[in-house]
Amino acid sequence: MPAGSPRERFRSLASPLRTAAGLVAGLLVLAGCASAPKPAAGPEPAFFPPPPDPPRVQFLFAITSEEDIPGFRRSLAERLAGEAETHILVRPRGVAVRDGVIYVADAKLATVLRIDLDAKRFEPIDHQGPGKLSGPLGISFDEDGVLYVADRGRRQVVAFAPDAEGRLAWSRAYGESETLLPTDVVARNGRLYVTDISDHEIEVYDIASGERVGTLGREGEDPGEFKFPSFIALGPDDTLYVTDTMNFRVQKLTLDGEPLGSYGKAGDWTGSVSRPKGVAVDDDGFVHILDAGFENAQIFLPDGRVGTFYGGYGNYPGHMYLPFEIALDKSLLPRLRDRVSPRLVPKYVILVTNQAGPHKLNVYVFGEPAAGADGGS
């Protein structure tokens, strides 16, 4: 086997599937049951997979309000006045990163919050007037820094472009509200690709003109067909990854809609999905798939086999509670490197939004085991 191949890099993750089998089975029994009693313990705190296997994912911290940002402190004047507003995440949905700043769509607040780890502040983007949001879900940026928001309430995709001072301001909207029910969006090569759960298809828009120029897929179960396509991500090779919710899979497609494969299947064991949500793909083609039923994320190898998982239902660091969307990012690493264990050589940061529970935005790091690292604490 060639050194450095995806299979070789994940060789150490074959045994975690056996080690974690009992844990995964327990998670599946609890899948989707918000009222079920929480277990007293989970995997080793902060690291996934659990011991005795070398770690690949470390949970760093969770953010729900400004006060959760590492290093946050109010000024003496703010503390004495006692009137400073604290921004919080209430019902987070989509998440994206641009230039080291985190953006989170909040459906309850009907806004997109800008989370600046350097300034240690939350602030909503300006979305008044024609840019007023109603039910923001998936969000993403294009190469020019334009933010696209799939707004289910407006039944449109709303674009916010940076102004002369770099602040995001309303630019335009895409889609006819009578026909479109968008849940997620990505941009590539002058096109927008929008998941439309009302027509079970991907709608394609020309960014410059705003016109719809085509659709991908149709309702069905065959490759390239969908039942409630709900999330979409771009792969490193200009491919699309679409969460095909009621077909219990994530499909990989060309930008023209040609099916190239799929990940996951209906079931209750490793490699299957129950309530698939957000999807993200790293530079090596490893596919992260969130599951609100199992309340975890599974990482699939490019060939479709599952490598490992992180998160899970429970009361331990890194657990998830109805996870919704995921983003992978390298620009945050310099800001968080001092929190990464020496047992891990970090490659990128993982952000996961939780729809419920006390921790609304989980922050993890993915990496290679450091030399000599094992599953011990």
Side-chain angles (χ1 to χ4, degrees):
M1 180 183 304
S5 68
R7 185 175 178 183
E8 179 64 23
R9 286 195 296 273
F10 262 84
R11 179 177 56 81
S12 65
L13 297 187
S15 55
L17 299 182
R18 296 188 294 271
T19 303
L23 173 63
V24 174
L27 296 176
L28 298 175
V29 172
L30 298 172
C33 300
S35 61
K38 295 182 179 180
E44 182 206 4
F47 294 102
F48 303 90
D53 300 288
R56 299 305 301 266
V57 176
Q58 179 189 350
F59 172 70
L60 300 182
F61 55 89
I63 297 175
T64 299
S65 77
E66 287 176 318
E67 297 177 358
D68 297 319
I69 297 176
F72 173 86
R73 289 190 65 185
R74 294 203 181 281
S75 68
L76 178 60
E78 289 175 324
R79 283 180 283 163
L80 290 175
E83 298 176 354
E85 180 182 8
T86 298
H87 292 292
I88 63 171
L89 295 170
V90 180
R91 196 175 297 162
R93 294 295 192 255
V95 59
V97 182
R98 178 74 179 181
D99 297 332
V101 177
I102 303 168
Y103 294 78
V104 179
D106 194 301
K108 179 68 173 180
L109 301 177
T111 189
V112 175
L113 284 166
R114 184 179 185 272
I115 303 177
D116 190 329
L117 298 183
D118 293 334
K120 308 186 190 313
R121 285 289 184 269
F122 283 28
E123 60 180 2
I125 66 170
D126 182 6
H127 62 93
Q128 300 307 309
K132 185 174 180 59
L133 300 174
S134 175
L137 295 178
I139 62 176
S140 66
F141 284 91
D142 68 10
E143 298 91 339
D144 298 320
V146 178
L147 174 66
Y148 299 94
V149 181
D151 193 306
R152 184 170 179 173
R154 286 184 54 150
R155 299 177 71 107
Q156 289 181 310
V157 172
V158 187
F160 298 86
D163 62 16
E165 298 180 356
R167 293 175 300 190
L168 292 173
W170 178 82
S171 173
R172 70 180 307 160
Y174 298 84
E176 299 294 333
S177 60
E178 294 80 11
T179 59
L180 179 65
L181 192 56
T183 54
D184 205 359
V185 57
V186 294
R188 178 69 79 195
N189 300 334
R191 296 284 191 265
L192 285 184
Y193 297 85
V194 183
T195 52
D196 180 8
I197 60 172
S198 62
D199 292 326
H200 307 278
E201 64 188 15
I202 309 300
E203 295 207 351
V204 185
Y205 293 85
D206 179 74
I207 290 177
S209 70
E211 297 296 320
R212 191 179 80 166
V213 294
T215 60
L216 307 180
R218 61 181 181 181
E219 185 173 4
E221 301 177 356
D222 291 335
E225 298 178 342
F226 307 107
K227 284 188 177 180
F228 296 95
S230 51
F231 298 85
I232 190 168
L234 287 165
D237 50 354
D238 272 351
T239 48
L240 300 172
Y241 291 76
V242 180
T243 301
D244 188 8
T245 304
M246 297 310 296
N247 282 325
F248 303 98
R249 64 191 178 188
V250 166
Q251 292 201 63
K252 180 181 180 181
L253 312 166
T254 68
L255 295 179
D256 295 324
E258 178 186 350
L260 299 175
S262 65
Y263 303 83
K265 58 185 178 181
D268 59 0
W269 203 245
T270 303
S272 61
V273 294
S274 169
R275 294 168 59 191
K277 295 292 184 180
V279 57
V281 188
D282 71 15
D283 292 342
D284 293 318
F286 299 138
V287 183
H288 297 240
I289 301 176
L290 291 179
D291 197 308
F294 302 157
E295 308 209 89
N296 69 3
Q298 294 186 80
I299 303 178
F300 288 79
L301 279 64
D303 63 9
R305 294 178 300 120
V306 67
T308 191
F309 74 97
Y310 54 97
Y313 184 83
N315 219 356
Y316 50 85
H319 78 275
M320 298 180 188
Y321 209 144
L322 297 179
F324 189 83
E325 184 61 289
I326 181 172
L328 312 179
D329 180 76
K330 295 179 180 178
S331 69
L332 293 170
L333 270 180
R335 297 163 172 83
L336 301 175
R337 194 176 296 273
D338 62 343
R339 292 178 167 266
V340 178
S341 167
R343 295 167 54 199
L344 207 60
V345 180
K347 298 186 70 174
Y348 51 80
V349 172
I350 305 169
L351 302 172
V352 173
T353 58
N354 293 298
Q355 301 174 72
H359 306 307
K360 302 302 187 185
L361 178 67
N362 284 1
V363 183
Y364 307 84
V365 66
F366 174 89
E368 304 280 355
D374 56 27
S377 52

